[in-house]
Amino acid sequence: MVDLSDPAGRFERLMSALRSRVNRRQFATWFRRVGLDRWEGADLVVRVPNLFYKEWLRSSFHDLITRAAEDVAGAPTRVGYVVAPDAPGTPPPAEADLGPDEGGEGDPPEVPSPPEAHVPTPFAGSGPQDAPLRLNRTYTFSNFIVGPSNSVAHASALGVAREPGRAYNPLFIHGPVGLGKTHLLHAICLEFLERCPRDRVCFLSCEEFTNEFVHALRHNQLEGFRDRFRNVELLVIDDIHFLKGKERTQEEFFHTFNRLYQTGRQIVLSSDAAPGEIPMLEERLVSRFHWGLVTNLDHPEMETRMAIVQHKAALHGIQVPNEVVEYIATTFRNNIRELEGALVSIRARASVTQRPVCLELAREALNGSARTNAPAVTMERILDTVCGHYQVKVSDLRSKRRGRSVSEPRQVVMYVARTLTNLSLDEIGAHFGGRDHTTVLYAVRRVADRVREDPAFAAIVNRLVDRLGGAPS
Ligand code: ADP
Ligand code: MG
């Protein structure tokens, strides 16, 4: 019998409650090394082996632990974490896990295991977005359709993934939004990981790099920050144009770049503009970006667009007749993400109306005004609907204000706009005081992640989408 008057007994009970609430893998990874520091009254403090665990537990499992502890204690409980390297238990499994699979459906995504050899220092706003590697497993080279518009970028990316540090260093891929930059960057990492351990790769957006740098500065953690970025074989930074005007981050990146370059490590960067065309970027960085290979992605030609539509349709499991493929490829010329969005709308319409995909259905699905009696989905309607749900003012959402009460609805608006309209990231950002497209992209991803992980949140978002007259995502 467990003695619940004794903290150790309660803690034992808590552990078995947690064991039944997470999957086996998560338990082995995250809870076996957790110990009891103290449990006095309403305060429970658990010991964890390092800072990385602490951040993960806090960002991914805090609510779960708190609820379980309250169930055991039968009273409100505050849970805290303390790093104690002598925390009990066996080390977590060492196999690589790429973390949530953005393309997958079905099983809930697993929390990735912490890297063994190289424990990164946690940074601000830690959460799943700071997982050591978050790669979309569908963004592989084999899922990338090659045509004249992207063949050089594709070949260079492949070269770098196969011979990192030797083929071209750095590799700099630029081009307008929605043409596959991020896809190629993921593909490089995935290919590289076939042969190398995950802790030798670092993939992140420039916005994340910047935020983590600022956080490290503020909390005196520069050493940890530098260790993290200067000891990898492959550093991949998406949307490097985000560095514009950020002088200190540029300086820090300059040193990171030099260190990696001098030691023959591979650097891969993407940007919405060529190095020399990124405003307010130091000349010494511009010139370094030219040391390796600068290549661009162009708008794909009709045949490439058609091949992409066919390929994506197969990936999504949608049967699409040729005339519809042609129709989509003719309608969306500038942005591949829109081709994919079109397919999703068509599939939604086919399933709602229980009809097979044909040209007529595709026309209806892609022509907002043809939607049965529903008014067109505009940014204004999305803002009104979302703000109505969250009980916040539209003007607050458009303002620079931070804080969860405005940031969550703001991110939801961006996500819904991305789902239901053809607005580009920049156009969506323009509705929020000219926020950068990377900010919008980040918001869209965060909401997409949460929709996958949190059924209650998914229900809210789907209801909002429904109310706006679109098909649930
Ligand atoms: P960017 O980073 O340039 O804005 P992304 O890499 O996010 O663009 O690509 C947008 C979407 O288009 C992704 O779903 C990606 O898989 C798809 N895509 C882009 N280029 C191709 C291609 N050549 N073949 C297949 N899919 C592509
Ligand atoms: Mg991108």
Side-chain angles (χ1 to χ4, degrees):
M1 228 359 240
V2 177
D3 176 6
L4 291 182
S5 63
D6 165 29
R10 285 206 299 272
F11 186 73
E12 203 180 304
R13 178 65 66 82
L14 169 66
M15 283 295 129
S16 53
L18 287 169
R19 193 190 296 270
S20 66
R21 294 181 197 189
V22 299
N23 68 34
R24 263 182 49 210
R25 168 85 190 267
Q26 288 172 330
F27 189 84
T29 308
W30 295 106
F31 295 100
R32 207 175 277 153
R33 299 177 77 189
V34 168
L36 175 65
D37 188 69
R38 59 181 188 278
W39 196 335
E40 292 156 3
D43 287 312
L44 162 64
V45 179
V46 297
R47 289 163 173 249
V48 294
N50 57 46
L51 266 175
F52 185 65
Y53 264 75
K54 179 171 160 177
E55 286 306 315
W56 262 110
L57 284 175
R58 207 166 38 195
S59 61
S60 304
F61 294 110
H62 183 74
D63 290 345
L64 186 88
I65 300 172
T66 306
R67 271 198 309 273
E70 292 183 337
D71 290 349
V72 172
T77 305
R78 272 188 304 271
V79 179
Y81 308 84
V82 52
V83 175
D86 58 343
T90 48
E95 77 263 71
D97 174 354
L98 301 181
D101 177 349
E102 290 188 28
E105 285 168 23
D107 283 348
E110 288 212 335
V111 178
S113 47
E116 278 297 276
H118 173 67
V119 177
T121 318
F123 297 101
S126 272
Q129 76 276 15
D130 289 335
L133 266 185
R134 289 163 42 75
L135 297 174
N136 184 331
R137 289 193 185 95
T138 67
Y139 285 180
T140 56
F141 281 117
S142 54
N143 282 334
F144 191 86
I145 304 295
V146 183
S149 57
N150 59 29
S151 58
V152 177
H154 171 266
S156 337
L158 201 56
V160 154
R162 300 217 165 131
E163 289 192 84
R166 283 195 287 176
Y168 323 96
N169 205 11
L171 173 63
F172 190 102
I173 302 177
H174 66 97
V177 72
L179 295 190
K181 300 184 294 294
T182 299
H183 186 136
L184 280 179
L185 264 45
H186 282 237
I188 291 172
C189 294
L190 289 167
E191 175 86 18
F192 180 86
L193 283 170
E194 298 271 305
R195 282 162 290 112
C196 295
R198 55 177 285 161
D199 60 297
R200 308 302 293 162
V201 183
C202 191
F203 171 89
L204 76 173
S205 70
C206 186
E207 185 176 8
E208 285 163 337
F209 182 86
T210 306
N211 290 343
E212 295 187 5
F213 173 61
V214 170
H215 182 86
L217 265 184
R218 188 147 40 95
H219 293 84
N220 256 333
Q221 292 171 347
L222 268 184
E223 210 174 316
F225 176 87
R226 290 182 175 146
D227 275 357
R228 173 172 175 200
F229 294 108
R230 295 183 188 179
N231 290 315
V232 292
E233 288 298 325
L234 172 63
L235 174 66
V236 180
I237 301 195
D238 203 1
D239 294 326
I240 197 77
H241 55 264
F242 191 81
L243 279 182
K244 72 173 172 234
K246 302 188 179 65
E247 289 153 24
R248 289 205 65 180
T249 314
Q250 287 186 24
E251 156 125 38
E252 182 64 27
F253 182 69
F254 175 76
H255 294 298
T256 305
F257 184 103
N258 289 345
R259 168 67 77 84
L260 291 174
Y261 187 86
Q262 281 154 11
T263 48
R265 315 292 179 61
Q266 180 69 47
I267 302 156
V268 180
L269 307 168
S270 82
S271 162
D272 67 359
E277 288 161 14
I278 303 174
M280 292 181 281
L281 183 70
E282 285 182 33
E283 191 44 46
R284 56 183 183 167
L285 279 175
V286 175
S287 76
R288 271 164 181 75
F289 292 168
H290 279 112
W291 283 356
L293 181 75
V294 175
T295 174
N296 77 318
L297 286 167
D298 228 330
H299 294 293
E301 320 64 30
M302 180 67 180
E303 291 78 5
T304 311
R305 296 201 299 278
M306 288 177 60
I308 292 172
V309 172
Q310 275 159 350
H311 189 82
K312 296 277 177 187
L315 273 183
H316 287 286
I318 319 171
Q319 295 271 354
V320 183
N322 273 340
E323 54 179 8
V324 174
V325 170
E326 209 171 314
Y327 173 65
I328 300 175
T330 316
T331 311
F332 299 97
R333 295 160 180 272
N334 295 324
N335 182 328
I336 294 168
R337 193 176 290 109
E338 288 174 359
L339 295 176
E340 222 172 347
L343 272 174
V344 172
S345 307
I346 290 171
R347 177 176 63 175
R349 183 150 194 104
S351 100
V352 169
T353 59
Q354 302 268 314
R355 286 157 53 200
V357 174
C358 62
L359 194 55
E360 190 195 342
L361 180 128
R363 287 216 170 95
E364 290 166 17
L366 299 188
N367 179 359
S369 54
R371 254 190 208 121
T372 40
N373 298 328
V377 183
T378 59
M379 199 62 188
E380 283 63 35
R381 279 191 60 218
I382 297 174
L383 277 162
D384 283 345
T385 309
V386 174
C387 288
H389 171 81
Y390 281 94
Q391 303 275 306
V392 289
K393 291 207 285 273
V394 173
S395 56
D396 285 343
L397 246 54
R398 293 191 196 264
S399 74
K400 294 265 177 248
R401 268 188 54 198
R402 286 163 181 268
R404 207 185 148 92
S405 66
V406 289
S407 67
E408 180 173 320
R410 188 183 287 135
Q411 291 180 346
V412 169
V413 169
M414 293 176 178
Y415 173 84
V416 172
R418 195 71 195 157
T419 312
L420 295 185
T421 72
N422 284 331
L423 294 174
S424 70
L425 294 169
D426 280 322
E427 285 163 345
I428 295 172
H431 284 269
F432 296 92
R435 278 179 165 79
D436 196 85
H437 67 260
T438 50
T439 312
V440 179
L441 189 56
Y442 174 77
V444 172
R445 289 206 177 131
R446 274 203 70 127
V447 173
D449 284 348
R450 267 190 76 193
V451 162
R452 259 196 314 278
E453 286 158 15
D454 177 351
F457 182 71
I460 294 174
V461 173
N462 280 336
R463 252 201 321 276
L464 289 168
V465 170
D466 265 348
R467 210 180 298 160
L468 282 158
S473 53

